[in-house]
């Protein structure tokens, strides 16, 4: 049968190992080890010091010592050398050190036993057990202590490994989490394991919602014709012959926004050649694709819209200039009027294109002054009435209509665009009224109404988008860029105002502008 203390020692060591596998933190593991060692060696106090990065040792766990005095025990471990004949030399030397240190700390400690904590050849710390009275520690005590010293060393070793692994894990997680691109990590059967911040931001789907679900249900990418990219050409399930593991498509967010995403996949392959996981980088291509689309539209608008008036001007100018013809005055005047009208049209077109590109390049800068909208409307109506005989343009403003603070030239462009549209989209002529009235909350209201083809309700929002034109027969035949109302909205909103439309097909249209009144 084992002696009693051996049994207890075993029990203690077993408890410590259990605690170790339960992943108690290092401090509590060392305290548990120290406590057990003090008890089994019938001591009253104990101390564990650990090696620090600067090469020195410092107390890490203690029992039975006033915490404020711990630093005073430094002589105990300072340059402590167990040498080759470890036990005797160290014990003789260490009793002396204890006498000095305990005196300095004002604590009565009479006996000490100490052992280094070692990992391989490296001394990573020391364990000390003290008695305040009674007999000194025996060789046997030292042997008992060595089992605890080993446990403490293993605990420190494990803690270090654990720290290294978790630091590395944290570093990798931080890289993935803070990457500017969306990153997801998938299992070979496309279940989401990791979903980073950028991806949540991009898609509006949180990591909690995403993890564990198949990527093709969350990010069901589609082509612009609505075909599912994920179900038909996913490069994970249908590896392409050119080896490029990427996919691009439109993702419909829950908030209704459609974004274009491009995924690049890198499969991680183990030694046996099996895919263990797939890392996917997800990029937002919406702006790029939009810009490409706009560039295309812009090119076709410019080539189509600019070419028509230029060829009309060239045709008339060439005809009028013919040497062999002798044009009468009326024909000359008519021809020149067409040239002037087309030149005006070109001018408006170029102004709109320039304004739209300025807007894109960095917002609108307004040159503010007090503007009389009644004057401005009369001027615009007079100019445009000269371009049509089938329309009757009228202006009506109440007396002493208040001024607004605004950019005169830009507001003139706004009115020219609205009245110009009213003429363009009333092919059968009719009345076009520009009316000013006082609105609620200190606003000036200005409406431009026509009796033209009208606009379906579904298009009321979209006509203010850049390049958007209603898809009807007339719009296709009528020259236009789809920029006019986009600029109207941008200019009015830059003035702190609003623009809206009331219209129905065949019932004419009414555009309403509300602008804040100026306080002089
Ligand atoms: P554009 O007239 O150059 O096409 P706009 O941005 O001024 O561009 O107008 C956008 C679209 O809104 C037009 O193409 C047309 O379909 C529609 N629209 C604008 N004003 C009217 C109007 N007064 N009546 C009917 N449709 C209109």
């Amino acid at each position: 049968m084992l002696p009693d203390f051996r049994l207890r020692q075993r029990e203690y060591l077993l408890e410590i190992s259990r605690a170790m596998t339960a992943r108690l933190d290092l401090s509590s593991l060392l305290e548990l080890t120290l406590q057990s060692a003090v008890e089994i060696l019938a001591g009253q106090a104990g101390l564990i010091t650990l090696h620090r990065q600067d090469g020195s040792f410092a107390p890490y766990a203690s029992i039975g010592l006033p915490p404020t005095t711990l630093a005073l025990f430094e002589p105990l471990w300072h340059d402590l050398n167990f040498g080759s004949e470890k036990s005797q030399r160290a014990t003789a030397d260490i009793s002396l050190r204890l006498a000095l240190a305990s005196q300095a700390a004002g604590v009565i400690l009479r006996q000490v036993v100490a052992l280094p904590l070692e990992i391989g050849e490296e001394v990573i710390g020391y364990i000390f057990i003290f008695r305040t009275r009674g007999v000194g520690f025996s060789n046997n005590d030292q042997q008992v202590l060595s089992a605890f010293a080993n446990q403490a060393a293993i605990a420190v070793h494990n803690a270090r490994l654990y720290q290294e692994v978790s630091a590395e894990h944290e570093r990798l997680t931080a890289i993935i989490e803070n990457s500017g691109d969306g990153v997801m990590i998938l299992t070979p059967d496309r279940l989401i394991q990791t979903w980073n911040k950028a991806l949540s931001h991009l898609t509006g789907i949180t990591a909690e919602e995403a993890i564990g679900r198949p990527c093709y249900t969350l990010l069901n990418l589609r082509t612009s014709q609505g075909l599912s990219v994920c179900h038909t050409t996913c490069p994970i399930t249908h590896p392409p012959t050119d080896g490029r593991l990427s996919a691009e498509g439109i993702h419909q967010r829950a908030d209704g926004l459609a974004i274009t995403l491009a995924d690049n996949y890198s499969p991680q392959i183990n030694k046996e050649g099996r895919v263990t996981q797939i890392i996917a980088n997800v990029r937002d291509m919406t702006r790029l694709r939009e810009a490409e689309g706009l560039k295309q539209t812009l090119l076709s608008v410019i080539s189509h819209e600019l070419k028509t008036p230029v060829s009309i001007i060239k045709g008339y100018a060439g005809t009028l200039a013919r040497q062999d013809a002798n044009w009468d005055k009326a024909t000359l005047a008519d021809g020149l009027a067409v040239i002037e009208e087309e030149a005006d049209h070109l001018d408006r077109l170029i102004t709109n294109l320039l304004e739209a590109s300025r807007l894109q390049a960095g917002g609108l800068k307004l040159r503010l002054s007090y503007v009389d909208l009644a004057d401005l409307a009369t001027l615009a109506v007079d100019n445009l009435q000269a371009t049509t005989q089938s329309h009757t343009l009228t202006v009506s403003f109440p007396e002493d209509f208040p001024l607004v603070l605004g950019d005169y030239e830009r507001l003139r462009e706004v009115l020219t665009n609205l009245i110009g549209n009213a003429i363009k989209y009333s092919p059968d002529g009719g009345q076009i009224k520009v009316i000013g009235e006082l609105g609620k909350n200190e606003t000036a209201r200005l409406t431009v109404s026509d009796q033209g083809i009208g606009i379906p309700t579904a298009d009321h929002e979209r006509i203010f988008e850049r390049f958007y034109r209603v898809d009807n027969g007339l719009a296709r035949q009528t020259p236009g860029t789809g920029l006019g109302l986009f600029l109207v909205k941008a200019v009015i909103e830059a003035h702190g105002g609003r623009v809206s439309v009331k219209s129905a097909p065949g019932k004419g249209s009414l555009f309403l502008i509300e602008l804040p009144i100026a306080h002089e």
Side-chain angles (χ1 to χ4, degrees), residues 367-384:
R367 290 175 175 211
L368 294 182
S369 64
Y370 291 107
V371 179
D372 184 344
L373 289 177
D375 271 0
L376 201 67
T378 312
L379 194 79
V381 161
D382 285 350
N383 277 343
L384 288 162

Side-chain angles (χ1 to χ4, degrees), residues 2-19 32 36 39-40 148 151:
L2 285 171
D4 194 29
F5 82 91
R6 286 257 180 246
L7 264 179
R8 278 206 342 267
Q9 181 189 356
R10 277 201 172 180
E11 275 165 21
Y12 280 133
L13 291 174
L14 207 65
E15 194 190 335
I16 296 168
S17 335
R18 273 199 217 108
L32 181 66
S36 316
E39 271 179 46
I40 207 148
F148 290 95
Q151 288 291 45

Side-chain angles (χ1 to χ4, degrees), residues 8-229:
R8 278 206 342 267
Q9 181 189 356
R10 277 201 172 180
E11 275 165 21
Y12 280 133
L13 291 174
L14 207 65
E15 194 190 335
I16 296 168
S17 335
R18 273 199 217 108
M20 246 186 240
T21 45
R23 281 252 194 87
L24 274 186
D25 68 297
L26 183 61
S27 306
S28 24
L29 273 177
L30 292 184
E31 258 161 39
L32 181 66
T33 313
L34 197 58
Q35 180 115 41
S36 316
V38 166
E39 271 179 46
I40 207 148
L41 294 177
Q44 284 76 42
L47 182 65
I48 290 179
T49 61
L50 288 186
H51 194 243
R52 289 195 300 203
Q53 287 211 317
D54 64 3
S56 65
F57 290 84
Y60 205 87
S62 72
I63 284 172
L65 300 174
T68 48
T69 65
L70 290 182
L72 297 169
F73 285 89
E74 215 252 330
L76 265 182
W77 59 80
H78 185 76
D79 275 344
L80 185 62
N81 185 3
F82 280 79
S84 48
E85 307 133 54
K86 267 186 189 174
S87 52
Q88 294 95 10
R89 288 247 308 269
T91 316
D93 183 31
I94 205 145
S95 300
L96 209 71
R97 288 163 175 253
L98 177 65
L100 284 173
S102 55
Q103 202 175 20
V107 185
I108 299 167
L109 296 174
R110 303 216 191 281
Q111 314 292 345
V112 58
V113 59
L115 274 184
L117 310 182
E118 289 167 317
I119 299 175
E121 295 289 293
E122 186 195 358
V123 174
I124 55 153
Y126 297 102
I127 181 166
F128 303 90
I129 307 294
F130 308 105
R131 283 182 187 151
T132 53
R133 56 191 179 279
V135 290
F137 289 97
S138 63
N139 275 350
N140 191 31
D141 287 334
Q142 203 151 20
Q143 265 177 23
V144 172
L145 183 60
S146 74
F148 290 95
N150 285 342
Q151 288 291 45
I154 292 170
V156 174
H157 184 56
N158 284 352
R160 278 187 186 173
L161 284 181
Y162 183 71
Q163 250 167 23
E164 275 167 27
V165 171
S166 46
E168 184 62 16
H169 181 255
E170 263 172 38
R171 208 173 63 85
L172 287 177
T173 312
I175 291 175
I176 292 176
E177 223 7 58
N178 298 314
S179 155
D181 282 345
V183 178
M184 58 177 174
I185 300 180
L186 308 173
T187 62
D189 42 7
R190 298 192 285 167
L191 295 181
I192 296 164
Q193 290 178 305
T194 301
W195 183 267
N196 78 345
K197 248 192 316 207
L199 205 44
S200 297
H201 188 66
L202 214 61
T203 59
I205 301 168
T206 63
E208 289 75 40
E209 291 165 324
I211 287 170
R213 294 185 55 194
C215 61
Y216 49 85
T217 60
L218 278 191
L219 291 183
N220 186 5
L221 302 184
R222 294 183 177 277
T223 62
S224 50
Q225 287 80 38
L227 287 175
S228 166
V229 174

Side-chain angles (χ1 to χ4, degrees), residues 421 424-425 450 455 463 468-470 480-485 509:
N421 278 351
K424 255 194 329 194
Y425 298 107
D450 62 53
I455 304 159
I463 51 173
Y468 188 80
R469 308 195 70 203
V470 178
T481 54
L483 283 175
L485 290 180
S509 306

